[in-house]
Amino acid sequence: HWPKMMQEQRFLRGDTGRFWVALSLREAEALRGAIHLAMDTGEPLVPDSRVAVGLRAGHMMIDCVGPPKPAPGGGGGGAISFTAAASVEPFPRAPRLQLDSAVSAFRFIDSQLAFTERHARLLLRMLRLDAPQDRRKWFQDVCGCRRRPQNKLINIKRGGIATAVNVEDEYHLLVQAATLWRVGREMSHRQLGTHDLYHAFNGKRDGYLTCGELAAGLAWLGVKVSEDDLHAFLRGLDSNADGLLTLDEWAAGFPLLAESEPATHEALATLSLKPKQVRELFEGATAKKKEFAPVPPDRLPTV
């Protein structure tokens, strides 16, 4: 059941009853004045309630007012005093994860592109119920309405905002990380160099590893993956998102392993693997080649 747990995010926790609202500059000025008035008079910001309000700019708290403390004794155990002399409780801190998630969400709505990998994953948790193509379309449409440069999003192929709009959910990131660890473990245990193994997998010797070649190589290593998991693994290493792996992209995934191992170098040099029949990711892979009919002999010019 753990894949479903990852997809539904059952393990996440946050404060209930805490709401995050985007304000205009004029609304923020009015709210700040109301907070100062409540702090000066000791009156609650919202009558007959224990509402606490904080005004933030990103992660920075500008002003805040906590709820009034319940009056000791009288009026029942839950009675609240709303007199000017009533003391005020400290503003309850937001859980760090919840705060970071809210800030990332508002930055996404604001069409910002600079996201760390951690913040992109938090954003992905909130957007997981929407299909990746719907996220991209919405984000590009909003950028277009605001006359923000849309080509920057197209140029970001991997990491950051690309993770939030292209990856289905965190489960796929977990699969990629687990497969990477398993492959690295097999290479280390069997003394296989990263460069030696790449050249063995790349049967065409053209410096571009395809999904079919990678699938055959992983099967030879004994790492069983589905086609979707294979694509997730390749996308995790593919820095320019062209659907192919270069030697540098492959080696970057295993920085602690040697490029070549004398014990297995010669054996890998003679290894020949037949690519698997899987769907490729590089551009033009699914395009049908145009077939030309042979020219009839009577159409050929005589010499």
Side-chain angles (χ1 to χ4, degrees), residues 198-209:
Y198 177 87
H199 294 309
F201 288 177
N202 186 213
K204 300 189 301 298
R205 300 294 193 270
D206 60 354
Y208 295 101
L209 193 66

Side-chain angles (χ1 to χ4, degrees), residues 123-291:
L123 189 58
L124 181 60
R125 290 179 181 179
M126 293 179 282
L127 299 174
R128 67 186 184 279
L129 298 181
D130 298 313
Q133 60 268 24
D134 295 335
R135 300 177 213 156
R136 285 195 302 272
K137 185 178 185 305
W138 183 89
F139 192 78
Q140 290 173 339
D141 288 347
V142 173
C143 287
C145 292
R146 293 179 174 177
R147 298 183 180 180
R148 302 284 179 89
Q150 301 179 53
N151 59 335
K152 289 185 178 181
L153 177 63
I154 299 174
N155 294 333
I156 300 175
K157 302 295 185 179
R158 180 171 177 258
I161 186 66
T163 298
V165 298
N166 293 328
V167 179
E168 187 173 350
D169 53 46
E170 278 190 300
Y171 171 69
H172 291 76
L173 299 179
L174 177 63
V175 168
Q176 190 272 331
T179 307
L180 188 67
W181 177 87
R182 174 69 191 284
V183 172
R185 181 178 179 275
E186 288 294 325
M187 293 169 62
S188 177
H189 180 70
R190 296 165 63 170
Q191 295 184 331
L192 304 173
T194 56
H195 287 206
D196 296 341
L197 195 63
Y198 177 87
H199 294 309
F201 288 177
N202 186 213
K204 300 189 301 298
R205 300 294 193 270
D206 60 354
Y208 295 101
L209 193 66
T210 65
C211 289
E213 292 174 330
L214 181 59
L218 294 182
W220 180 81
L221 281 176
V223 179
K224 297 180 180 180
V225 294
S226 66
E227 184 174 293
D228 289 341
D229 294 346
L230 173 74
H231 290 161
F233 176 60
L234 187 140
R235 288 190 179 105
L237 297 174
D238 188 10
S239 60
N240 60 357
D242 63 353
L244 300 165
L245 290 183
T246 63
L247 176 60
D248 290 340
E249 290 172 337
W250 169 263
F254 312 96
L256 301 181
L257 299 181
E259 295 179 357
S260 181
E261 292 283 359
T264 56
H265 174 76
E266 292 185 5
L268 288 177
T270 59
L271 181 64
S272 178
L273 299 175
K274 183 180 179 180
K276 297 281 188 179
Q277 295 295 323
V278 296
R279 182 172 60 88
E280 296 291 345
L281 298 179
F282 62 87
E283 186 176 357
T286 57
K288 294 183 178 179
K289 295 183 179 179
K290 187 175 181 180
E291 297 181 359

Side-chain angles (χ1 to χ4, degrees), residues 21-85:
V21 182
L23 302 177
S24 66
L25 181 58
R26 180 170 293 182
E27 289 170 336
E29 290 176 345
L31 179 60
R32 191 177 190 187
I35 291 175
H36 286 187
L37 183 62
M39 294 170 64
D40 292 341
T41 62
E43 294 293 333
L45 193 62
V46 179
D48 302 324
S49 71
R50 287 180 49 79
V51 171
V53 177
L55 183 62
R56 295 181 179 273
H59 286 83
M60 182 179 66
M61 178 71 78
I62 299 175
D63 272 315
C64 63
V65 59
K69 291 183 178 179
I80 300 175
S81 173
F82 294 110
T83 65

